[in-house]
Amino acid sequence: DPSLIVWIGRLEPYKRAGDLLESLPEVIRSIPAARAAIIGAGSSRLTLEQRVRELGLEASVTFTGFVSESEKVEWLRRAAVTVNTSEKEGWGMTVIEGNACGAPSVSSNVHGLRDAVRDGKTGLLFPCGDTGALAQSLIRVLGEEGLREDLAAQGLVWAQRFEWDRVADDTLALI
């Protein structure tokens, strides 16, 4: 889906899903068909749903709640781009999962995520909390001729590095 933005994670304050909501009006002004799916459950859901109503985004945002692994993969396969707005991450697993499904990532430039996203190659990084920069990054990925396709192609190659057997062998060698 050329206009679907997918956010996956626990709906907790430090994950900053609200940053995506704050950026969406600007994104929709440039890409009218843009819409977002927020996948996950957590303590922030009611607050986020209220913010969607305040921003008038009911027709553009879907909350799925918790989904099975197979449903998550289906969402990632449909996504034009994934977003990770978290202020801290140990590792960007959903970034790599998205890359493996052909979806580049727009992610906060924080530890863990900056390790998972190769900025300008497999996705784009933006300063954490900067909703204007997030909006501009999404507009670029959704609207700039060929950019999404280039990021997706490089993301597929990047994601292939992260198979469990290889990671286990590398970890054993390090130990």
Side-chain angles (χ1 to χ4, degrees):
D1 183 335
S3 61
L4 179 60
I5 301 163
V6 172
W7 187 101
I8 298 176
R10 289 191 333 254
L11 298 179
E12 299 300 335
Y14 78 94
K15 294 286 192 171
R16 302 183 66 98
D19 289 356
L20 173 57
L21 301 179
E22 299 301 326
S23 75
L24 276 178
E26 185 176 344
V27 173
I28 291 168
R29 279 192 290 280
S30 292
I31 314 285
R35 62 190 201 293
I38 297 179
I39 300 168
S43 67
S44 295
R45 180 161 176 171
L46 294 177
T47 302
L48 293 168
E49 289 175 332
Q50 176 62 35
R51 190 64 183 141
V52 164
R53 288 188 292 277
E54 291 168 359
L55 293 167
L57 295 171
E58 297 93 335
S60 302
V61 177
T62 300
F63 288 89
T64 68
F66 180 82
V67 298
S68 70
E69 190 69 18
S70 63
E71 289 172 300
K72 178 177 76 171
V73 170
E74 285 305 312
W75 278 105
L76 290 171
R77 286 182 177 157
R78 290 177 45 209
V81 61
T82 64
V83 174
N84 192 319
T85 50
S86 186
E87 64 190 42
K88 60 182 177 178
E89 284 295 327
W91 172 249
M93 179 66 84
T94 59
V95 168
I96 302 303
E97 290 172 333
N99 286 160
C101 292
S105 180
V106 172
S107 292
S108 298
N109 189 0
V110 298
H111 292 292
L113 295 176
R114 79 172 63 106
D115 300 320
V117 176
R118 298 177 67 215
D119 192 28
K121 295 184 178 6
T122 66
L124 301 176
L125 295 172
F126 68 94
C128 185
D130 186 339
T131 58
L134 170 56
Q136 288 307 306
S137 294
L138 288 169
I139 291 166
R140 281 190 64 207
V141 172
L142 295 174
E144 193 173 302
E145 182 75 28
L147 178 61
R148 196 201 83 71
E149 292 77 11
D150 290 344
L151 296 172
Q154 291 187 62
L156 284 168
V157 172
W158 175 243
Q160 289 173 0
R161 296 188 56 206
F162 300 99
E163 65 173 11
W164 285 114
D165 289 341
R166 180 178 178 175
V167 172
D169 289 345
D170 289 349
T171 302
L172 186 58
L174 179 64
I175 292 172

